[in-house]
Amino acid sequence: MSALTTASFSWLRQLLHEQSAIALDDSKGYLVENRLQPLALEAGLPSVEAFIDHVRRNRADGAIDEIIDAMTTNETSWLRDHHPWDGLMSTVLPEVMERVGPTRPVRIWSAACSSGQEPYTIAMLVREQFGPGAPVQILASDISEKMLTRARTGSYSQLEVNRGLPAAMLMRWFRREGISWRVVDEIRSMVRFERRNLSHHFGSMPAMDILAMRNVLIYFDLATKQRILGEVRRVIDPHGWLMVGAAETLLDVDCSWKRVPVGPSAFYRPGASPSSPDRRPIP
Amino acid sequence: MENQQSDRPHVLVVDDSSAMRCLLSTMLDTMGWRVTTAERGAEALTLIRSNAFDLALVDWHMPEMSGVDLVRTIRDDVESGSRLPIMMVTCESQPDNVAAALDAGVDEYTTKPFDPSTLRAKLARLGFVTT
């Protein structure tokens, strides 16, 4: 049972919403305790309540960033839910490549990439199916600079590579470094990592052909989800593809997206926008 | 009860450690599998030749016959189970070990320790949907 006071939980909830738009409901006290306990220990404080009290009084930016990192960092794994990746490689990516042709590279964005398993998964699959020099650019973003720094190293523990990564891919695309495994340079060079907060305006960016936003929208309230999907619509190519988590649906959020089954999975493509059908992303 | 058991996919767990056999049996039973265990490679081969297994989980280091040798023998035996999906479950984590196991014919490889979600993910890769 959470030992947090209502006041501390409310303060944290508001902070999280202001900084990242993530919505924390009343039942998530245990999550706050779990996530912030290590920070409290590191600060030499006896409890999460004492830690929050300390941060509230001192308002140190560094501590705020650490809290946001701790609350927003989520577990990820390789080829998570595996069917969507089969669908990506068998149907979605070939369709995009054929349509885009040789005029420009295919642009893929892995949004909320955490420690990098998803964008590296995409890079490995692309490399395996389409060979070296495949015209694909992969952008990977996350709100946490700490996670991005980690992701850029491409280094993972034995436990982490065990999670969903086929042994054959491990042998092909990783090298052992001490007790860790590191993604080979060829794959790491296919991914560009950037810090982005999805609850903020996306700014100008080239049209994205494939956008993976998996198991992310679930953390936001309805209004924020709709705002984010509005931004996604703005930056995705009109013929682009959106991937969400295996258990997620957009139909109760924004029914203007077309649900397209691909094998056992589903992808979404921009349908006619109800408010602005002629919107185009910056080419 | 017997009908319900026979509806479940059948896995053979081969490990000389009784604790590991117990742990894997519990995990797999919870995930909807019918589990048979063997302590040695020779026992495993006898079971494979007389039962229809959907999957085998094999430890590496066992007395008399190593897990890798067991896998090679299974793959060489056309009658019994040359195409039985096999996952090696071992504490060996060096690239040479993984490569050797893949060469011997394992379909997947996971290192100990692991948690149920890791096992589920690996089983999913092999095409098995777990409860």
Side-chain angles (χ1 to χ4, degrees):
Chain A
M1 185 174 295
S2 170
L4 280 178
T5 61
T6 305
S8 291
F9 185 78
S10 297
W11 177 85
L12 181 79
R13 177 157 52 186
Q14 189 177 345
L15 174 75
L16 200 60
H17 197 260
E18 278 168 10
Q19 300 282 328
S20 66
I22 286 176
L24 211 59
D25 66 47
D26 289 339
S27 67
K28 294 292 194 294
Y30 75 93
L31 183 72
V32 173
E33 286 277 357
N34 284 347
R35 295 288 181 96
L36 299 191
Q37 185 69 25
L39 297 185
L41 285 171
E42 210 174 295
L45 292 163
S47 66
V48 172
E49 177 67 30
F51 175 70
I52 290 176
D53 186 58
H54 167 76
V55 173
R56 285 178 76 177
R57 287 173 196 280
N58 296 288
R59 200 76 196 194
D61 284 344
I64 302 281
D65 286 344
E66 283 185 353
I67 288 174
I68 301 302
D69 271 2
M71 293 304 302
T72 59
T73 299
N74 289 299
E75 206 172 281
T76 182
S77 63
W78 309 90
L79 293 124
R80 190 170 172 182
D81 306 319
H82 83 282
H83 283 305
W85 307 109
D86 294 341
L88 177 71
M89 301 316 292
S90 68
T91 304
V92 174
L93 198 44
E95 187 276 335
V96 174
M97 283 192 160
E98 192 179 319
R99 181 167 36 80
V100 163
T103 58
R104 63 165 175 83
V106 170
R107 299 182 197 116
I108 303 175
W109 181 11
S110 166
C113 68
S114 188
S115 42
Q117 281 92 327
E118 182 178 271
Y120 286 136
T121 289
I122 295 170
M124 288 187 283
L125 291 173
V126 166
R127 179 65 179 78
E128 286 191 353
Q129 182 149 332
F130 299 100
V136 173
Q137 289 176 348
I138 302 169
L139 167 66
S141 70
D142 200 85
I143 192 175
S144 167
E145 191 57 59
K146 193 170 158 183
M147 275 293 118
L148 290 169
T149 302
R150 163 97 217 274
R152 288 184 187 106
T153 68
S155 187
Y156 299 93
S157 68
Q158 186 64 56
L159 200 63
E160 285 169 325
V161 298
N162 262 351
R163 288 212 174 114
L165 187 66
M169 285 179 88
L170 176 68
M171 295 309 299
R172 212 172 291 131
W173 302 118
F174 289 74
R175 293 294 171 265
R176 185 84 167 171
E177 286 187 353
I179 57 169
S180 302
W181 293 85
R182 194 165 192 221
V183 179
V184 297
D185 289 349
E186 183 187 345
I187 297 297
R188 281 172 50 229
S189 66
M190 290 173 69
V191 183
R192 187 177 94 250
F193 290 95
E194 271 180 20
R195 186 172 183 273
R196 283 179 177 262
N197 185 333
L198 293 177
S199 66
H200 294 171
H201 193 260
F202 290 177
S204 66
M205 51 194 310
M208 289 292 156
D209 299 299
I210 301 168
L211 212 159
M213 193 173 282
R214 308 188 70 239
N215 306 301
V216 176
L217 291 173
I218 52 175
Y219 296 105
F220 301 107
D221 58 31
L222 180 60
T224 309
K225 286 183 196 178
Q226 289 170 335
R227 194 170 71 242
I228 291 173
L229 284 172
E231 284 293 290
V232 170
R233 177 181 284 281
R234 196 175 60 73
V235 303
I236 201 168
D237 185 277
H239 304 287
W241 299 76
L242 172 63
M243 294 174 80
V244 295
E248 290 180 286
T249 176
L250 299 188
L251 298 179
D252 56 349
V253 181
D254 182 347
C255 57
S256 66
W257 289 84
K258 286 185 301 186
R259 187 178 180 278
V260 179
V262 178
S265 304
F267 289 72
Y268 289 86
R269 304 186 81 178
S273 167
S275 56
S276 182
D278 294 325
R279 268 195 199 169
R280 290 289 183 269
I282 294 169
Chain B
M1 183 63 129
E2 205 171 293
N3 283 342
Q4 284 175 349
Q5 278 293 322
S6 65
D7 286 343
R8 296 175 146 212
H10 195 183
V11 59
L12 174 66
V13 172
V14 190
D15 199 307
D16 64 319
S17 156
S18 62
M20 188 51 62
R21 290 197 304 275
C22 183
L23 174 68
L24 280 169
S25 296
T26 305
M27 275 190 192
L28 289 160
D29 179 70
T30 306
M31 291 177 192
W33 290 79
R34 179 163 57 109
V35 186
T36 298
T37 62
E39 204 174 322
R40 296 282 188 272
E43 185 190 351
L45 283 171
T46 304
L47 286 166
I48 286 169
R49 284 171 186 141
S50 54
N51 289 273
F53 290 104
D54 299 289
L55 172 69
L57 301 190
V58 177
D59 181 26
W60 186 304
H61 292 293
M62 294 186 289
E64 296 154 23
M65 183 190 280
S66 74
V68 170
D69 287 339
L70 170 60
V71 172
R72 280 201 196 99
T73 308
I74 292 170
R75 291 296 183 233
D76 287 343
D77 190 337
V78 173
E79 266 188 46
S80 64
S82 60
R83 263 299 95 212
L84 172 68
I86 302 174
M87 177 156 67
M88 184 142 279
V89 182
T90 172
C91 49
E92 295 290 351
S93 61
Q94 292 299 319
D96 288 348
N97 301 121
V98 182
L102 288 169
D103 282 342
V106 305
D107 297 284
E108 254 311 332
Y109 188 105
T110 192
T111 54
K112 303 170 187 174
F114 57 87
D115 56 31
S117 63
T118 299
L119 186 57
R120 276 182 207 280
K122 291 283 183 176
L123 292 176
R125 287 304 306 161
L126 291 172
F128 296 108
V129 175
T130 55
T131 57

